[in-house]
Amino acid sequence: MTDRKSFAVEVDGHAHAAAVTLADDGGAQVEVDGEVFEVRAAPDGAVLVRAADRQHLVSPDPQPRPTHATLAGCGHTLTIRTAQEAALAAALSAGAGAGAGASKITAPMPGRVVKILVAAGEAVEQGAPVIIVEAMKMENEMYAPGAGVVRTIAVAEGDTVDGGQLLCEFDLNA
């Protein structure tokens, strides 16, 4: 066994931690919430999943990162993210300051300001794109946490920022 990768997986809205270790013979060992499964390719794009006391034939949709799978005739919705993608998504939602009373946007992690889409004094609606930050080779749009007016822009395009650094502030409508 070599090359272990961690993932955050949601199945029908339920979150699971998963780690995949690829085997030299083309199979894999998958650990989901502490339970270990052996995984092998099966005919017609299906996957045979074996645990110590049971086995299942799972049919994922045919794409590199499936969004749906069928198990025992029942369809399930999947969201699969690498551990890094899941951490970035969590940081972005926290950095956007979602929720009542939120009035600022902070950088989710170290990165570079690519583009500023608003100016101080400009009115914005909730969810409007405000600033784009490149982190981990991905461009991430940051959104207004609520309707209001941009109070200050604390950075400039091209600036390097630290995680948690203030990017801009808002005066939100009551």
Side-chain angles (χ1 to χ4, degrees), residues 36-129:
V36 178
F37 300 89
E38 294 297 323
V39 178
R40 299 272 182 252
D44 298 324
V47 178
L48 182 62
V49 180
R50 293 183 191 152
D53 59 347
R54 64 195 183 283
Q55 70 179 22
H56 300 285
L57 193 60
V58 179
S59 298
D61 58 4
Q63 52 185 326
R65 206 178 281 195
T67 57
H68 293 86
T70 303
L71 170 66
C74 296
H76 300 278
T77 301
L78 306 175
T79 302
I80 302 170
R81 293 180 174 157
T82 65
Q84 288 179 325
E85 291 168 339
L88 179 60
L92 286 172
S93 66
S103 62
K104 65 183 178 178
I105 294 177
T106 58
M109 61 181 48
R112 182 179 62 85
V113 177
V114 175
K115 188 157 184 76
I116 298 172
L117 305 169
V118 296
E122 185 176 335
V124 294
E125 294 299 318
Q126 181 173 354

Side-chain angles (χ1 to χ4, degrees), residues 16-19 30-37:
H16 303 279
V30 179
E31 183 178 332
V32 180
D33 297 335
E35 187 173 357
V36 178
F37 300 89

